[in-house]
Amino acid sequence: MSELLPFCKIKLQYLLEMVTDHDLDDNALRVALYLALAHADHKTGESRPSFETIGAAIGKHAKSVKRALNKVEAAGYMTIERGSNKGKSSRYRPTEAALRRATERRREGDKVVPLSRAKGGQSCPQSGTNLSGKGGQDCPPNREQELRKEQGCASAPDLPDEGQSCETRPDLVFVPRGICFVRDWDARLAREGMTTLERSLPLSPHEHHLGFWLPARTPAPVDSVEWQGQLSLLRDVIRRAQDGECAASSAPRIASFAPRQMQHESRLPQDVAPTVGENRHAI
C-alpha cells in the first residue's frame, strides 16, 4: 500500500472530492472547507475549533454547524471525536480512506506531463510563452507586473500625432469624454465656479479615444484634503493649457484653416457677381 502524503500536499484533492460530491449539501461543504482551509494541521489535517468559532466565521448557528459536521462524518470524509461541555472541544480529522483517495489523485496528477512531438504528442511550449512545461497549464498572471505595465503606459507621453493637444504627465489620469466621470468633474467644477472641461482643456487622443488628462478618474470628496490637491493640480493644468504650452500642436491646424477662410472671403464677391449678372441677363 502506498504511503499517505501530508495533508498540506493533498488538501486540494481532498477538497475537490467533497466539492464534486452531489450528496453533500452546501452547509456541510462550507463547514468542511472552513476547517480544512483555516484550522487543519499541515501534516494530519486535524482541527479543533468549537461550534461557536466555526459558526461565527461562516455566519451559521452552532446547532447548524453541528448538523453539518454530522453529515460530513456520515459521508465518510471526516471522523469526529466529540468533546465534553467542560471546556474540551471536539476534534475533527479526515478519514484515512479520504486521505488515501486524495493521495492517489495527487500522484496521478503528478504523472501528467506533455509528450514531445517525436513521441506522438504535442510539442512542449517554447520559452517565453504563457504555458508551463509541467502539464501544459496556464501560468498564473503576475498582477504586480501587469499593474506596472499599465502605469507605465498611462504615464508615457503620447506621440505628437494629429489631434494631439499636449504631452501627458505621469501625475495625471486619462478620462475619455462622454462618460459619467467627466460629468462628475463638470459638476464639481461648477460648484467651484469654474467652466466645464470642454471649455477649459483641449481634447487629447489616447488609445483610440479622445478625452482629458485629469488629476484622478473621479474627484475626491468635497472639502477633503485630497480634493484640494486635485483642484490645485487641475487649475495648474488648465493654466498651462491656456498659457499656450499646447500651441505648438494646434498652431498648424489654425494656420492651415486661416488661408482657406481668407481665400473663401476674398472669393465670395467674385462668386456673387457672375450670379447677379446671369440673373440680370435671364430677366
Side-chain angles (χ1 to χ4, degrees):
M1 297 179 67
S2 59
E3 184 180 358
L4 296 178
L5 294 174
F7 183 73
C8 60
K9 293 186 177 181
I10 58 175
K11 181 186 299 184
L12 294 180
Q13 288 75 17
Y14 172 74
L15 297 178
L16 177 61
E17 185 174 0
M18 286 191 290
V19 170
T20 54
D21 189 345
H22 296 177
D23 296 330
L24 201 62
D25 62 29
D26 294 343
N27 193 30
L29 180 60
R30 287 185 63 186
V31 172
L33 290 175
Y34 174 73
L35 291 176
L37 296 174
H39 293 278
D41 180 77
H42 288 294
K43 184 175 181 180
T44 64
E46 181 179 315
S47 56
R48 302 184 182 184
S50 63
F51 295 155
E52 290 76 11
T53 300
I54 301 173
I58 65 175
K60 298 291 182 180
H61 194 272
K63 292 183 178 180
S64 179
V65 172
K66 184 177 181 180
R67 288 193 298 268
L69 286 170
N70 291 336
K71 293 179 181 180
V72 176
E73 183 182 26
Y77 295 107
M78 187 181 299
T79 59
I80 302 177
E81 182 181 336
R82 291 167 174 81
S84 62
N85 295 328
K86 298 180 180 180
K88 183 181 179 181
S89 60
S90 300
R91 300 171 61 181
Y92 320 102
R93 184 169 183 169
T95 62
E96 182 177 352
L99 293 177
R100 193 168 302 282
R101 291 192 300 268
T103 298
E104 294 301 325
R105 279 175 175 263
R106 170 62 187 266
R107 286 175 175 159
E108 287 297 327
D110 290 343
K111 293 179 182 179
V112 178
V113 294
L115 297 177
S116 63
R117 186 172 299 174
K119 295 182 179 180
Q122 61 184 7
S123 59
C124 295
Q126 298 179 355
S127 60
T129 63
N130 289 331
L131 298 180
S132 168
K134 298 180 180 180
Q137 71 273 14
D138 292 339
C139 290
N142 189 332
R143 184 55 183 164
E144 294 182 358
Q145 185 176 5
E146 292 178 358
L147 288 175
R148 287 196 296 269
K149 290 182 179 180
E150 293 175 0
Q151 293 174 357
C153 294
S155 61
D158 290 340
L159 295 176
D161 199 357
E162 182 179 356
Q164 178 69 36
S165 58
C166 62
E167 186 175 296
T168 64
R169 292 171 51 177
D171 52 350
L172 301 178
V173 176
F174 182 79
V175 180
R177 69 172 179 178
I179 64 175
C180 60
F181 300 136
V182 174
R183 293 192 293 270
D184 293 341
W185 276 104
D186 287 342
R188 186 64 62 83
L189 292 180
R191 186 179 183 274
E192 297 292 337
M194 301 170 63
T195 59
T196 62
L197 295 177
E198 291 276 357
R199 294 177 177 271
S200 303
L201 292 174
L203 288 172
S204 300
H206 181 67
E207 296 182 355
H208 310 292
H209 295 284
L210 289 176
F212 309 96
W213 290 96
L214 303 174
R217 187 171 296 274
T218 57
V222 181
D223 299 331
S224 65
V225 178
E226 185 180 2
W227 163 243
Q228 296 301 324
Q230 291 179 356
L231 181 60
S232 176
L233 179 58
L234 181 58
R235 283 174 172 166
D236 180 67
V237 173
I238 294 174
R239 179 185 58 79
R240 289 171 180 266
Q242 294 177 350
D243 286 348
E245 289 189 2
C246 305
S249 60
S250 59
R253 193 167 301 181
I254 297 175
S256 62
F257 173 78
R260 291 199 301 270
Q261 182 69 17
M262 294 173 61
Q263 184 178 4
H264 176 71
E265 294 176 356
S266 62
R267 191 171 60 243
L268 184 59
Q270 299 176 2
D271 293 341
V272 174
T275 304
V276 175
E278 290 173 1
N279 292 338
R280 184 171 61 251
H281 289 302
I283 294 173

